[in-house]
């Protein structure tokens, strides 16, 4: 009996490993954005909302994440999708990142759970034209496909830097994450590109230090993160932005720090919190 049980366990383990391995393919050849710089000529770019979803790459038959993991989409979702490469965002709506991320990671999902998910197109990697030409091709492609799960992210010209930041405020106030700027005359290039720019708001706030966590790896024996508490009572960790010197001699419990963050999670926790400075004692 023990031998049979061991054999069955080995078979299950091999099948599991094979399944897990087959889910991870090569990383897709995608274009990556750079951060916004104040000296860019805004009118030379098309501007769109930066969606808070999961980056997706449709290679003509399979949906891949940025890391190369295969997304287990139901056939009903991709019905009629074109056999050309599409770069976009798997999106469920504003402030739904946690839900769509969990959905993408699952290997068996009922079709109805994908019903309200949309693959929002923002580029065509294999199209040889400029971004303006690619944007026109995207709209034609969606019209021809006629799928409720395939849409184009709206692009528009913004006349000035002032207008750009006004649009950023509108997007953020509506629950969005930020903006993306595509240089109108640029071709699609793989890797980090100065011709695609992301602009996200950053906020500053203060919190009191209520604890320390121990560092790991290269920070072993030093501070890993500050445990802080906001005036509203939200407790979270701040581990980024600290120098080695600050990790060796961290702000004391009870001290007040200023941190930077990019919006909130659904639980009200600041996203991507980064240490800026310790407030001087009075």
């Amino acid at each position: 009996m023990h031998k049979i049980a061991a054999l069955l366990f080995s078979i299950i383990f091999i099948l599991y490993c094979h399944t897990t391995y087959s889910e991870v393919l090569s990383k897709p050849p995608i274009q990556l954005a750079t951060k916004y710089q104040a000296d860019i000529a805004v009118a030379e770019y098309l501007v769109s909302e930066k969606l808070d979803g999961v980056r997706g790459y449709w290679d003509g038959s399979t949906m891949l994440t940025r890391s190369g993991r295969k997304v287990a989409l139901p056939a009903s979702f991709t019905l009629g999708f074109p056999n050309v490469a599409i770069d976009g965002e798997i999106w469920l709506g504003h402030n739904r990142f946690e839900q769509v991320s969990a959905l993408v990671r699952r290997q068996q999902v009922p079709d109805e759970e994908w019903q309200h998910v949309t693959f929002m197109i923002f580029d065509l990697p294999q199209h040889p034209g400029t971004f303006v030409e690619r944007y026109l091709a995207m709209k034609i492609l969606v019209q021809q496909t006629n799928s409720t799960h395939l849409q184009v992210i709206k692009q528009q010209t913004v006349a000035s830097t002032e207008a750009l930041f006004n649009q950023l405020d509108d997007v953020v106030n509506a629950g969005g994450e930020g903006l993306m700027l595509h240089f109108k005359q640029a071709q699609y290039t793989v890797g980090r590109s100065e011709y695609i720019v992301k602009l996200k708001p950053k906020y500053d706030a203060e919190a009191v230090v209520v604890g320390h966590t121990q560092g790991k790896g290269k920070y072993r024996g030093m501070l890993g993160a500050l445990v802080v508490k906001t005036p509203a009572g939200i407790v979270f960790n701040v581990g980024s932005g600290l120098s080695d010197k600050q990790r060796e001699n961290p702000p004391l419990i009870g001290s007040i720090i200023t941190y930077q963050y990019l919006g909130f999670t659904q639980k009200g926790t600041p996203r991507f919190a980064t240490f800026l400075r310790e407030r001087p004692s009075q």
Side-chain angles (χ1 to χ4, degrees), residues 10 22 79 138 158 217 279:
S10 297
S22 65
L79 184 65
M138 289 180 236
V158 178
R279 193 173 78 180

Side-chain angles (χ1 to χ4, degrees), residues 109-120:
V109 183
D111 287 16
E112 55 267 24
E113 293 194 31
W114 284 95
Q115 183 177 353
H116 300 294
V117 180
T118 307
F119 186 44
M120 303 293 291

Side-chain angles (χ1 to χ4, degrees), residues 5 25 48 87 122 164 256:
L25 307 177
S48 62
D87 197 355
F122 53 68
L164 177 70
I256 296 176

Side-chain angles (χ1 to χ4, degrees), residues 228-239:
V228 302
K229 185 176 182 179
T230 70
I234 303 295
V235 177
F236 61 101
N237 290 355
V238 178

Side-chain angles (χ1 to χ4, degrees), residues 195-213:
Y195 296 121
I196 176 172
V197 178
K198 59 184 175 182
L199 174 60
K200 298 199 293 184
K202 294 183 179 180
Y203 306 96
D204 293 349
E206 291 186 337
V208 60
V209 178
V210 296
H212 299 147
T213 68

Side-chain angles (χ1 to χ4, degrees), residues 6-281:
L7 179 61
L8 288 173
F9 177 81
S10 297
I11 293 172
I12 293 171
F13 180 75
I14 291 170
L15 289 173
Y16 169 78
C17 290
H18 175 73
T19 302
T20 303
Y21 176 79
S22 65
E23 292 168 3
V24 181
L25 307 177
S26 299
K27 289 184 179 181
I30 58 176
Q31 184 170 242
L32 301 173
T34 52
K35 294 181 180 179
Y36 174 83
Q37 301 294 327
D39 60 348
I40 71 171
V42 173
E44 296 180 1
Y45 291 76
L46 284 178
V47 180
S48 62
E49 179 179 346
K50 185 182 188 303
L51 301 178
D52 53 344
V54 175
R55 182 80 174 264
Y57 183 91
W58 173 255
D59 68 1
S61 61
T62 303
M63 184 73 76
L64 304 173
T65 65
R66 177 173 170 173
S67 63
R69 183 171 295 276
K70 181 180 178 181
V71 182
L73 294 171
S76 59
F77 186 92
T78 59
L79 184 65
F81 271 32
N83 60 347
V84 297
I86 301 173
D87 197 355
E89 197 88 357
I90 304 171
W91 198 56
L92 193 52
H94 291 133
N95 300 313
R96 301 292 301 278
F97 173 77
E98 287 90 348
Q99 288 91 334
V100 73
S101 178
L103 192 62
V104 166
R105 292 195 302 269
R106 291 166 60 187
Q107 291 302 303
Q108 292 184 345
V109 183
D111 287 16
E112 55 267 24
E113 293 194 31
W114 284 95
Q115 183 177 353
H116 300 294
V117 180
T118 307
F119 186 44
M120 303 293 291
I121 306 176
F122 53 68
D123 221 325
L124 296 175
Q126 296 174 350
H127 191 290
T130 65
F131 184 72
V132 172
E133 293 168 338
R134 298 200 303 276
Y135 180 47
L136 176 60
M138 289 180 236
K139 292 193 287 185
I140 294 173
L141 190 65
V142 166
Q143 291 175 351
Q144 293 175 340
T145 303
N146 193 29
S147 168
T148 57
H149 296 294
L150 195 65
Q151 295 183 28
V152 180
I153 298 177
K154 182 181 178 181
Q155 305 283 345
Q156 58 185 316
T157 298
V158 178
S160 66
T161 300
E162 181 181 2
L164 177 70
F165 279 89
N166 287 338
Q167 184 171 331
L168 177 64
D169 289 341
D170 291 342
V171 166
V172 172
N173 291 335
E177 186 175 89
L179 299 175
M180 298 298 298
L181 290 75
H182 292 261
F183 188 63
K184 293 178 181 179
Q185 300 306 315
Q187 294 180 318
Y188 192 99
T189 56
V190 177
R192 194 71 59 184
S193 173
E194 61 180 330
Y195 296 121
I196 176 172
V197 178
K198 59 184 175 182
L199 174 60
K200 298 199 293 184
K202 294 183 179 180
Y203 306 96
D204 293 349
E206 291 186 337
V208 60
V209 178
V210 296
H212 299 147
T213 68
Q214 293 297 315
K216 299 178 180 179
K218 67 177 182 178
Y219 297 131
R220 184 177 296 277
M222 303 166 65
L223 175 77
L226 297 169
V227 183
V228 302
K229 185 176 182 179
T230 70
I234 303 295
V235 177
F236 61 101
N237 290 355
V238 178
S240 299
L242 293 153
S243 67
D244 287 352
K245 184 177 180 180
Q246 289 166 331
R247 292 183 186 278
E248 292 171 353
N249 297 285
L252 299 176
I253 292 175
S255 60
I256 296 176
I257 69 160
T258 301
Y259 63 95
Q260 196 171 66
Y261 65 102
L262 300 173
F264 296 95
T265 67
Q266 288 181 312
K267 295 181 180 180
T269 304
R271 295 180 65 186
F272 308 114
T274 302
F275 176 87
L276 284 183
R277 66 186 74 89
E278 181 179 359
R279 193 173 78 180
S281 57

